[in-house]
Amino acid sequence: MAQRVAMASGMVSPMLWRRHLLYPGLRLRHPQAARRLQRAGLRWRSSGNCVNRHRHSCTSLATVRLQTLWGLVDLKRRSGCDVLVTGGTETGHAGGVHSHGKGYKIDVAHNRCIDRFIRSKYRGRVRGDGARLFYEHRPQGHTTYANEPSHWDITFL
């Protein structure tokens, strides 16, 4: 019921934001998600200067899960690093149950600080596409970081 009320009002209340673990699957519209990131000191960039979820050159946060956004905010807080989102829920990413399009994955630009922080995590296998995986298991959930050439492909579960 609370989830429907929050979605119907067009805003996610601060209580839902703070208590994200109660509503991990709550999906946000792009303006809501962008506003939450901005308030937390995170930035996002679109190579196509657009937010249309149906264009691969855009960076869209439409339908991103609240838990995924909270994972980004927590990543910034714990790392002390600048976090720049470069990919969200737009088309052009691989599909799957825990994919970008389903709101579980976000791409973050490389920088020295974030690279050092992520590489300090448990080092895993190399994916079929050559990306080295790093894992983090915390009470708040599991995070997988894939080191792709131009960004980190991050899955928040």
Side-chain angles (χ1 to χ4, degrees), residues 12 26-30 32-33 36 61-64 66 69:
V12 175
L26 181 66
R27 298 187 185 275
L28 305 174
R29 293 188 206 125
H30 180 86
Q32 293 172 310
R36 295 289 178 195
L61 300 171
T63 73
V64 69
L66 184 61
L69 280 189

Side-chain angles (χ1 to χ4, degrees), residues 17-89:
W17 180 247
R18 286 190 303 271
R19 298 183 69 187
H20 70 282
L21 290 176
L22 296 176
Y23 305 96
L26 181 66
R27 298 187 185 275
L28 305 174
R29 293 188 206 125
H30 180 86
Q32 293 172 310
R35 199 167 35 251
R36 295 289 178 195
L37 289 180
Q38 182 181 19
R39 287 180 186 159
L42 287 92
R43 299 176 298 128
W44 64 273
R45 175 184 68 209
S46 170
S47 60
N49 295 316
C50 50
V51 298
N52 185 334
R53 184 170 191 236
H54 303 289
R55 292 186 52 205
H56 67 36
S57 61
C58 297
T59 297
S60 176
L61 300 171
T63 73
V64 69
R65 295 169 59 249
L66 184 61
Q67 185 171 347
T68 300
L69 280 189
W70 188 256
L72 280 173
V73 171
D74 196 45
L75 174 64
K76 178 180 176 35
R77 181 189 61 78
R78 290 183 301 112
S79 68
C81 299
D82 182 40
V83 176
L84 174 64
V85 174
T86 60
T89 59

Side-chain angles (χ1 to χ4, degrees), residues 1-21:
M1 177 71 173
Q3 186 174 358
R4 273 194 220 128
V5 171
M7 291 300 285
S9 71
M11 288 291 297
V12 175
S13 74
M15 183 183 87
L16 288 182
W17 180 247
R18 286 190 303 271
R19 298 183 69 187
H20 70 282
L21 290 176

